[in-house]
Amino acid sequence: MFSLTDNQVFILISILFLSLILNLCFLAAFRIKVVRKIDKILKNNSIRKESFDVFFGRHSLYVWATFFPKNFAKSGRKERLFDPEIIRSELSLIDQIIMLSHWFFFAIFFSITIFLIVFTDYY
């Protein structure tokens, strides 16, 4: 167990809540801006999102297809779902930054939470 001072705990918890707030903001921007845009792109290419959206899993598929198109195609999802190049050509740099920021702040929030639970006596 780590022994942290009160100031260190305050800083960690402040970063934890800040990352939670930023994660939620980027999640909202991701769902409002990027997911709607991708849904529209797929609809224009006659691909129904209902055929692969189970418990909002399409959000993860969109990120996977955007940043890892070779793995997406290699796993067979290109043939069964959609071609990732359809999405990649239409997304702007801002859309990709929103996607990465959402996952970045989620990782920070998750890491600090696990650190506080496992390695300290404060949680």
Side-chain angles (χ1 to χ4, degrees), residues 9-20 108-109 112:
V9 172
F10 176 75
I11 290 170
L12 278 176
I13 291 179
S14 298
I15 293 171
L16 179 83
F17 283 118
L18 181 64
S19 65
L20 176 65
I108 290 175
F109 175 76
I112 293 175

Side-chain angles (χ1 to χ4, degrees), residues 17-61:
F17 283 118
L18 181 64
S19 65
L20 176 65
I21 291 168
L22 289 172
N23 180 32
L24 293 175
C25 291
F26 279 108
L27 176 65
F30 173 64
R31 289 200 175 171
I32 292 170
K33 185 179 184 312
V34 180
V35 171
R36 285 185 183 176
K37 184 177 188 178
I38 294 173
D39 286 343
K40 187 177 176 182
I41 292 167
L42 293 177
K43 186 177 180 182
N44 290 340
N45 287 299
S46 302
I47 300 170
R48 294 183 50 231
K49 68 179 180 187
E50 292 81 15
S51 63
F52 58 86
D53 186 22
V54 178
F55 299 113
F56 297 101
R58 74 180 195 273
H59 301 149
S60 298
L61 286 174

Side-chain angles (χ1 to χ4, degrees), residues 61-80:
L61 286 174
Y62 293 164
V63 173
W64 190 17
T66 302
F67 295 111
F68 307 106
K70 290 181 182 176
N71 291 336
F72 190 84
K74 191 187 299 183
S75 68
R77 286 186 166 82
K78 179 179 177 180
E79 292 80 23
R80 289 184 285 136

